[in-house]
Amino acid sequence: MKIAFIINDHATEKPNFTTPALGYAAYKRDHEVYFIGVGELAYASDGHLSARCKTISGTNFKTQETYFKAVQKESFTRISSKDLDVLFLRNDPSDEINERDWAQNAAFIFGEIATRDRVIVLNHPSSLAGAVNKMYFQHFPEILRPRTIISRDHKEIKDFFKEQKQKMILKPLQGSGGTNVFMMDKKNEHNLTQTIDAICRDGYVIAQEYLPAAKDGDTRLFLMNGEPLKSADGKYAIMQRVNASGDIRSNIHAGGRPQKAKMTDQIMELAEIVRPKLVQDGMFLVGIDIVGNKLMEINVFSPGGLNVMGAMYETDFSTEVIKSIEKKVHYNKTYEDYLFNSRLATL
């Protein structure tokens, strides 16, 4: 099959990231693999998606790092949606905030164009458009979520702070990776107005119940087709992310430390509650972040850490993702014009 991965930018994509791991897994299975930066997308006069991309073929690589470094050195070539089987949207819109605002929506806008050529677009582009900020999380059952308000009103946020006995989390509605996440309590209450102002500069403020279990970090679990992702040898794609000392954030690039984690009945139950909406929305590959018995976040754009988990458990999760995509391509060819992209995405 011919599969293209959309990334933010070739200059910022690191060889040890999850997307290169997925690309390398596809390459090892003899697929044609392409990488496209968001800024390299275009709409051609013939009505098809067009893109400048980088690809490599005919070489055996021992690691994903050597593979992707070789890809990055390649010259650009051009590909059309007429030639593709799969377009995997793996860019993170929040990385573009205040830097390249035009790039935030580009992937799913162009992804919609690709679906006209019966290209399988993952995750489903119109659902991603509705999930571009953390409000998407509020559409999941209340039993899963910490108590939350979303507002720009200082009084409303301060009243919530009092309701929460002067301990809560503040973060922006848009963004990821632990950027501008603050824990407010009695000790720093004098900074509350200033903190709300700082977050308001970028839009709405999420004020959220503080979960005491957060001091131990969170658990990242990958879901594929709505189910917990497992390797061929039966290991789950799950890890504990332990906070750096004195930091409430457990994201890996915010200093969080990854550790092995065990699947529990409680985590399986949370995943099962999340599954129906993810399947309905065509969310193929998703990362959920769990604290205690609550979900803290659902990452539907470019969940990371799959490569970290693979190394930690000495197993291969990326190949299972590619195998699932291969099945979707088979279904798409077998049921020509019968299956919508949103349904194919989670079959």
Side-chain angles (χ1 to χ4, degrees):
M1 68 179 175
K2 293 184 177 181
I3 179 170
F5 295 88
I6 294 187
I7 56 178
N8 287 72
D9 193 279
H10 286 282
T12 56
E13 190 73 14
K14 294 182 180 177
N16 65 338
F17 279 4
T18 295
T19 305
L22 294 169
Y24 181 52
Y27 183 82
K28 287 192 295 181
R29 292 177 67 79
D30 295 325
H31 299 304
E32 294 181 42
V33 182
Y34 307 87
F35 292 90
I36 302 167
V38 173
E40 288 136 26
L41 293 164
Y43 178 79
S45 60
D46 61 2
H48 300 283
L49 168 73
S50 172
R52 294 194 309 143
C53 62
K54 292 195 174 190
T55 185
I56 198 166
S57 61
T59 307
N60 289 323
F61 297 96
K62 291 183 178 180
T63 67
Q64 76 175 61
E65 285 84 359
T66 54
Y67 162 73
F68 193 69
K69 283 177 182 176
V71 169
Q72 288 178 310
K73 291 176 183 175
E74 289 292 304
S75 300
F76 281 104
T77 183
R78 188 165 287 280
I79 195 164
S80 164
S81 53
K82 293 181 292 184
D83 307 316
L84 285 175
D85 296 303
V86 181
L87 183 65
F88 202 160
L89 311 182
R90 285 284 307 172
N91 62 302
D92 186 350
S94 67
D95 283 354
E96 311 291 2
I97 295 172
N98 299 327
E99 297 291 331
R100 304 192 306 171
D101 288 336
W102 56 266
Q104 287 185 60
N105 302 326
F108 36 84
I109 290 171
F110 283 97
E112 290 277 13
I113 300 297
T115 61
R116 296 182 193 172
D117 286 320
R118 299 190 63 251
V119 177
I120 300 171
V121 181
L122 307 169
N123 293 337
H124 185 54
S126 59
S127 295
L128 286 180
V132 75
N133 59 54
K134 295 185 179 76
M135 187 68 83
Y136 179 70
F137 182 53
Q138 303 308 123
H139 293 287
F140 287 82
E142 192 173 347
I143 190 174
L144 293 170
R145 302 181 270 111
R147 289 202 65 212
T148 300
I149 65 165
I150 299 172
S151 178
R152 287 173 53 82
D153 185 287
H154 279 242
K155 183 179 183 305
E156 192 172 7
I157 296 167
K158 288 175 179 178
D159 287 347
F160 182 78
F161 183 59
K162 289 175 185 173
E163 286 173 26
Q164 297 304 308
K165 298 178 180 176
Q166 295 166 297
K167 199 162 191 176
M168 68 178 179
I169 302 296
L170 290 183
K171 55 188 176 182
L173 182 58
Q174 286 187 278
S176 68
T179 305
N180 290 336
V181 178
F182 303 94
M183 202 264 286
M184 307 304 301
D185 58 18
K186 293 176 185 177
K187 293 177 185 176
N188 61 4
E189 185 177 358
H190 61 281
N191 290 327
L192 183 55
T193 298
Q194 182 182 350
T195 305
I196 295 170
D197 281 337
I199 299 174
C200 277
R201 280 198 287 271
D202 292 325
Y204 282 87
V205 179
I206 296 177
Q208 196 168 67
E209 170 190 5
Y210 174 75
L211 301 176
K215 70 181 188 304
D216 301 319
D218 66 8
T219 301
R220 161 61 60 92
L221 172 66
F222 271 86
L223 301 177
M224 183 175 75
N225 301 318
E227 304 276 359
L229 172 59
K230 289 170 74 174
S231 60
D233 54 359
K235 295 172 182 173
Y236 285 102
I238 185 172
M239 68 178 171
Q240 184 80 7
R241 301 187 300 182
V242 181
N243 307 348
S245 178
D247 199 330
I248 58 165
R249 303 169 301 166
S250 47
N251 312 73
I252 299 298
H253 39 294
R257 190 174 71 254
Q259 291 182 355
K260 290 181 179 180
K262 288 184 178 180
M263 178 59 77
T264 65
D265 291 342
Q266 186 179 69
I267 291 173
M268 288 293 282
E269 186 178 339
L270 281 174
E272 180 58 26
I273 297 171
V274 171
R275 184 176 65 85
K277 181 163 175 58
L278 293 179
V279 169
Q280 174 185 274
D281 292 351
M283 297 298 192
F284 165 60
L285 191 66
V286 171
I288 63 173
D289 299 334
I290 302 162
V291 170
N293 63 348
K294 299 286 186 181
L295 281 184
M296 291 301 290
E297 201 160 316
I298 298 178
N299 188 328
V300 298
F301 286 98
S302 58
L306 201 62
N307 50 331
V308 175
M309 295 175 189
M312 190 184 298
Y313 295 111
E314 297 181 339
T315 192
D316 182 1
F317 294 113
S318 297
T319 295
E320 296 310 303
V321 176
I322 301 305
K323 285 180 180 177
S324 180
I325 294 173
E326 290 168 355
K327 286 182 182 178
K328 298 178 198 305
V329 172
H330 174 68
Y331 298 148
N332 200 26
K333 290 177 179 176
T334 305
Y335 285 87
E336 189 171 351
D337 293 329
Y338 280 94
L339 295 173
F340 292 116
N341 187 79
S342 57
R343 190 67 199 93
L344 269 170
T346 49
L347 275 178

